[in-house]
């Protein structure tokens, strides 16, 4: 089954996977407190605005570190609102609503999740017909296609690298790359799986 891009988040770990039929020549790059999706060196040139973006950011909030991750440019305003002290629910809802679903041929939903250092996890999506933001107590998935409402997901991973590998290797079709994040005693750890 092809579900497109998807996020999974639980109280301890989270992950984001790029799955693509149209733009498979992409990879993740780690930057300071962020992971970015971008084209590989051999990718054909495109003016598609949805191909490159920060897919994960870790920010310092008034209540500690929080990670925001998702499938597009909405990750930045979510992270910025978290830094300003917005509750995660409001940061997700306002940013998803403001940027709305992608105006492409498929009306692709925007999906996102947050995970804070205290174990609060939220997941959200904005589709053509709905805006959904939920607090989660167990690993939960939302995808751009097919699985476009939050649903329980069997994630076994305990570490960032396990989370990235597990979602990259999942049976959903057309995996391109994946990022994982996990809470540790020292703060958040992140990992990248580019399928090399």
């Amino acid at each position: 089954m092809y579900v497109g891009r998807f996020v999974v988040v639980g109280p301890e770990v989270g992950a984001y996977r790029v799955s693509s039929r149209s733009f498979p020549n992409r990879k993740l790059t780690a930057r300071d407190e962020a992971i970015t999706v971008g084209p590989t060196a051999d990718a054909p040139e495109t003016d598609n605005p949805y191909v490159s973006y920060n897919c994960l950011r870790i920010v310092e909030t008034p209540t500690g570190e929080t990670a925001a991750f998702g499938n597009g440019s909405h990750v930045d305003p979510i992270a910025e609102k978290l830094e300003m002290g917005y509750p995660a629910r409001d940061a997700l809802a306002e940013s998803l609503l403001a940027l709305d679903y992608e105006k492409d041929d498929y009306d692709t939903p925007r999906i996102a999740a947050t995970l804070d250092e205290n174990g609060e996890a939220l997941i959200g999506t904005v589709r053509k017909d709905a805006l959904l933001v939920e607090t989660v107590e167990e690993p939960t998935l939302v995808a751009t296609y097919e699985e476009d409402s939050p649903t329980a997901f069997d994630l076994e991973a305990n570490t960032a690298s396990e989370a990235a590998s597990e979602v990259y290797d999942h049976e959903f079709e057309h995996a391109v790359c994946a990022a994982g994040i996990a809470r540790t005693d020292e703060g958040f750890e992140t990992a990248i799986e580019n399928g090399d």
Side-chain angles (χ1 to χ4, degrees):
M1 179 164 63
Y2 179 64
V3 301
R5 300 176 299 275
F6 65 90
V7 293
V8 179
V9 67
E12 303 296 325
V13 298
Y16 170 65
R17 188 178 102 175
V18 178
S19 312
S20 182
R21 293 181 289 213
S22 307
F23 296 99
N25 297 354
R26 286 186 281 176
K27 65 177 183 175
L28 299 180
T29 304
R31 305 186 189 288
D32 292 340
E33 305 303 317
I35 295 176
T36 302
V37 177
T40 58
D42 59 349
E45 285 198 25
T46 179
D47 58 1
N48 186 310
Y50 304 119
V51 169
S52 300
Y53 51 90
N54 286 331
C55 69
L56 186 150
R57 289 200 35 205
I58 300 169
V59 294
E60 193 63 44
T61 76
T63 57
E65 278 192 329
T66 302
F69 45 107
N71 71 321
S73 59
H74 54 286
V75 171
D76 289 327
I78 293 169
E80 289 156 12
K81 288 183 188 313
L82 291 167
E83 280 183 304
M84 291 190 292
Y86 281 63
R89 179 179 168 271
D90 295 355
L92 280 164
E94 288 190 25
S95 300
L96 289 169
L97 187 61
L99 275 84
D100 211 358
Y101 63 91
E102 296 179 2
K103 304 304 190 287
D104 59 9
D105 293 340
Y106 309 103
D107 294 333
T108 302
R110 289 183 187 267
I111 55 174
T114 60
L115 177 61
D116 73 17
E117 66 179 33
N118 303 310
E120 183 183 61
L122 287 90
I123 197 165
T125 183
V126 62
R127 311 184 309 238
K128 191 171 183 178
D129 65 340
L131 170 67
L132 305 170
V133 177
E134 298 179 7
T135 301
V136 303
E137 304 294 332
E138 61 182 354
T140 302
L141 170 141
V142 68
T144 55
Y145 310 118
E146 303 296 335
E147 301 285 346
D148 64 358
S149 292
T151 184
F153 184 80
D154 186 21
L155 185 69
E156 304 286 329
N158 294 307
T159 68
S161 60
E162 289 173 357
S165 295
E166 187 174 336
V167 299
Y168 181 83
D169 293 334
H170 194 275
E171 64 187 11
F172 292 146
E173 296 172 351
H174 301 290
V176 174
C177 48
I181 185 160
R183 292 191 312 121
T184 73
D185 293 339
E186 290 78 44
F188 285 111
E189 63 173 13
T190 62
I192 288 172
E193 173 57 72
N194 277 320
D196 299 331

